[in-house]
Amino acid sequence: MEKCKEKKVLLFYCVESEDLARKVAASQSDSIQLQSINWRSFDDGFPNLFINNAQDIRGQHVAFLASFSSPAVIFEQLSVIFALPRLFVASFTLVLPFFPTGSFERMEEEGDVATAFTMARILSNIPISRGGPTSLVIYDIHALQERFYFGDHVLPCFETGIPLLKQRLDQLPDADNIVVAFPDDGAWKRFYKQLQHYPMVVCTKVREGDKRIVRLKEGNPAGRHVVIVDDLVQSGGTLIECQKVLAAHGATKVSAFVTHGVFPKRSWERFTSCNEKEGSERAFSYFWITDSCSHTVKAIGDRAPFEVLSLAGSIADALQI
């Protein structure tokens, strides 16, 4: 059978995603071409945007690499996202590696606002291009059922960073001594099918008075290099408590992988080896994140124990779907 011809894609990007966009283009230089936008503002702070070479993108496959790192940058990106499909493009793909409101996906009591649903409704109103609904690429969304929050104008394509982790684990000198751990049942349900060839440990959170305590639920970490896997990290408190429990049960090394290193208020500093505080915060051999949160990658740099596994190749492949 003749191999399908690669699709030529014009990739626009926001300022924060420029480094990742360049990596995506470099990974498939023959099929992905970067396109620029003038991210200007009026004196009152509202955006004054201009899509360069708008006439030239007619009939082309167009994508936009977004980064909704804070509410302050969402509006200007949405303005571009809503404009691009109207320029008579052949198809439109929105790549949003981290869906930032994904962990606020349900109501637990009357009055809660499920902002994941709000964001999904906003994105569902992206105009249809000549090629049909927008393809929306998201990595390791917090809850798979959020697929049903989106309307028919977008087609969610849920990807994962787990293949990057598996590739990295195979490169470790103790690759045959790895155990995968999950901080709670939710993480286990989300990822265990992708990691079934590894022995597994599951932790659980129990409430003792006003505190939530992490305990070992099942599995044996003794004598093993244990890698904690989750979709995202905020303050990192749960990962630190998991590390303490695993070490107490005999784990020789503990590492962590999260697709989305959110780390508000520079909370990643709790894990850096240059942190002068003693304690288990320094006890992670490796901490792998992806570059889904570009601002975090820029802040962390190459500080140990962090190591960035880039989504660039995966995103480039997704743009060919």
Side-chain angles (χ1 to χ4, degrees):
M1 181 181 294
E2 185 179 353
K3 184 178 179 181
C4 294
K5 186 178 180 180
E6 282 191 339
K7 182 170 63 176
K8 303 291 184 180
V9 179
L10 304 182
L11 178 61
F12 291 84
Y13 53 91
C14 65
V15 174
E16 191 171 272
S17 294
E18 181 174 358
D19 290 345
L20 179 54
R22 294 192 180 282
K23 291 178 182 178
V24 173
S27 69
Q28 288 192 14
S29 57
D30 292 336
S31 60
I32 297 176
Q33 180 181 341
L34 294 184
Q35 301 289 302
S36 63
I37 293 170
N38 287 339
W39 298 96
R40 307 171 302 192
S41 297
F42 292 108
D43 291 340
D44 62 1
F46 279 86
N48 175 21
L49 308 170
F50 186 80
I51 299 171
N52 296 317
N53 304 315
Q55 292 280 351
D56 296 338
I57 72 174
R58 289 185 176 185
Q60 304 292 322
H61 297 288
V62 172
F64 182 81
L65 179 58
S67 176
F68 289 178
S69 58
S70 73
V73 300
I74 292 178
F75 176 69
E76 64 180 13
Q77 291 182 63
L78 284 175
S79 299
V80 172
I81 290 166
F82 275 59
L84 286 170
R86 294 183 178 275
L87 295 176
F88 292 94
V89 301
S91 69
F92 181 63
T93 300
L94 171 61
V95 182
L96 182 61
F98 174 49
F99 188 68
T101 57
S103 58
F104 305 99
E105 84 282 7
R106 64 186 183 275
M107 293 177 57
E108 294 186 350
E109 62 177 312
E110 193 66 33
D112 283 343
V113 178
T115 51
F117 183 66
T118 306
M119 181 62 70
R121 293 188 70 180
I122 291 172
L123 296 177
S124 296
N125 282 287
I126 297 172
I128 294 177
S129 70
R130 288 177 62 191
T134 293
S135 299
L136 173 60
V137 179
I138 296 174
Y139 282 81
D140 289 319
I141 198 165
H142 187 69
L144 286 174
Q145 66 266 25
E146 291 175 74
R147 174 189 306 276
F148 304 106
Y149 290 179
F150 295 92
D152 293 339
H153 283 191
V154 294
L155 300 175
C157 178
F158 290 166
E159 298 286 351
T160 179
I162 293 298
L164 298 174
L165 171 64
K166 292 162 70 173
Q167 183 179 28
R168 185 66 183 94
L169 293 181
D170 288 342
Q171 298 169 351
L172 297 179
D174 57 354
D176 59 349
N177 193 40
I178 298 293
V179 166
V180 171
F182 302 103
D184 51 39
D185 288 331
W188 175 81
K189 291 176 183 177
R190 182 69 179 84
F191 293 115
Y192 83 95
K193 288 185 179 179
Q194 301 175 65
L195 296 163
Q196 288 186 93
H197 60 292
Y198 292 103
M200 295 185 184
V201 167
V202 181
C203 296
T204 187
K205 301 172 189 175
V206 297
R207 187 172 295 279
E208 290 187 0
D210 294 333
K211 296 182 179 180
R212 298 189 72 183
I213 308 298
V214 175
R215 290 181 177 171
L216 186 66
K217 180 180 178 181
E218 59 184 77
N220 182 15
R224 310 299 289 270
H225 180 183
V226 183
V227 180
I228 306 169
V229 176
D230 209 348
D231 62 318
L232 62 87
V233 58
Q234 296 269 1
S235 69
T238 297
L239 292 179
I240 290 170
E241 293 305 312
C242 282
Q243 187 278 331
K244 292 177 181 178
V245 170
L246 294 167
H249 283 81
T252 55
K253 290 197 293 186
V254 178
S255 298
F257 168 84
V258 296
T259 305
H260 310 297
V262 184
F263 290 121
K265 299 180 180 178
R266 296 176 66 88
S267 56
W268 53 266
E269 292 179 341
R270 306 174 72 178
F271 298 91
T272 54
S273 58
C274 61
N275 191 330
E276 296 179 357
K277 293 182 180 179
E278 296 295 330
S280 61
E281 290 92 338
R282 300 179 61 187
F284 285 81
S285 298
Y286 301 93
F287 199 129
W288 295 290
I289 62 174
T290 75
D291 43 7
S292 67
C293 298
S294 301
H295 60 288
T296 299
V297 173
K298 291 178 182 178
I300 288 176
D302 57 356
R303 294 178 176 88
F306 289 100
E307 183 178 324
V308 178
L309 308 178
S310 182
L311 294 171
S314 178
I315 291 172
D317 290 341
L319 293 179
Q320 291 296 319
I321 297 175

